[in-house]
Amino acid sequence: MEFSIGGIFGLYGGMIFGILGWWFGRKKAKKNRGLDEVHDHIWQKAKSYSWYLTLAAIYIFFSLIVFGIKLSTAMVLAVLLFVHLGSWAIIGLILTINMYSPIPFKPSYVKLGISINVASLLIFTIISIITNNWLFLLFSILPSMMGIFTALTVNRKDSK
């Protein structure tokens, strides 16, 4: 049995910092009267959309198992957690900005940006699983950033 001190710090340190960030963010939002029905609606909607993406990831993992690819439980759970929390955060951010922005995002750009994110993460995750080298996931950062910027693009003609 291996023991990784870095893994312990990363696992529990990430959880502690995440909880502290969530708590301080809610405390600051409460001071600024940001915790209202609109906030609750946006983040509940974002959570429901993230479950759809998590379901898609689960089906992809089941498909990989059917094709005979060996998957470790820890890796699958980590990717599922990343997909769920990451999509929840990105979709919540897009919905929040779109709700409070004077010029809403174009739905076609948002769909294209999300599609770029999902496609890049799926492709590089599958490559990582097949090659058994998780470093291929680092190559998905640039396309994912391009997808986020594409989703957050506002039509210049409408902004004037």
Side-chain angles (χ1 to χ4, degrees):
M1 181 172 158
E2 283 186 41
F3 180 75
S4 173
I5 193 76
I8 295 293
F9 280 131
L11 183 67
Y12 293 108
M15 179 183 64
I16 289 169
F17 282 117
I19 289 171
L20 286 173
W22 173 80
W23 184 72
F24 283 119
R26 288 196 57 92
K27 189 175 177 181
K28 182 73 172 167
K30 192 173 185 180
K31 276 186 186 177
N32 294 334
R33 301 176 69 182
L35 299 179
D36 55 0
E37 296 85 18
V38 175
H39 172 270
D40 292 341
H41 174 73
I42 288 172
W43 287 98
Q44 285 174 355
K45 194 169 190 173
K47 194 185 311 181
S48 71
Y49 286 142
S50 71
W51 274 112
Y52 291 129
L53 293 175
T54 305
L55 182 64
I58 290 170
Y59 271 97
I60 289 169
F61 282 129
F62 278 141
S63 299
L64 290 173
I65 290 171
V66 167
F67 289 124
I69 297 174
K70 300 286 184 198
L71 303 173
S72 72
T73 306
M75 180 192 63
V76 170
L77 290 175
V79 171
L80 285 176
L81 184 65
F82 181 72
V83 166
H84 185 70
L85 293 178
S87 63
W88 185 21
I90 291 169
I91 293 169
L93 177 73
I94 290 171
L95 290 174
T96 301
I97 292 172
N98 203 23
M99 178 65 95
Y100 293 111
S101 176
I103 302 146
F105 295 122
K106 293 187 69 130
S108 60
Y109 288 161
V110 173
K111 289 176 187 175
L112 177 65
I114 291 172
S115 299
I116 291 171
N117 279 342
V118 169
S120 70
L121 285 173
L122 287 178
I123 289 168
F124 288 110
T125 300
I126 291 170
I127 291 171
S128 295
I129 291 169
I130 290 172
T131 61
N132 207 12
N133 185 357
W134 66 269
L135 292 174
F136 280 106
L137 281 175
L138 295 177
F139 292 124
S140 71
I141 293 173
L142 183 62
S144 293
M145 293 302 292
M146 289 173 37
I148 290 170
F149 290 136
T150 302
L152 298 178
T153 300
V154 175
N155 193 355
R156 300 276 183 222
K157 294 176 189 173
D158 296 336
S159 63
K160 293 180 180 181

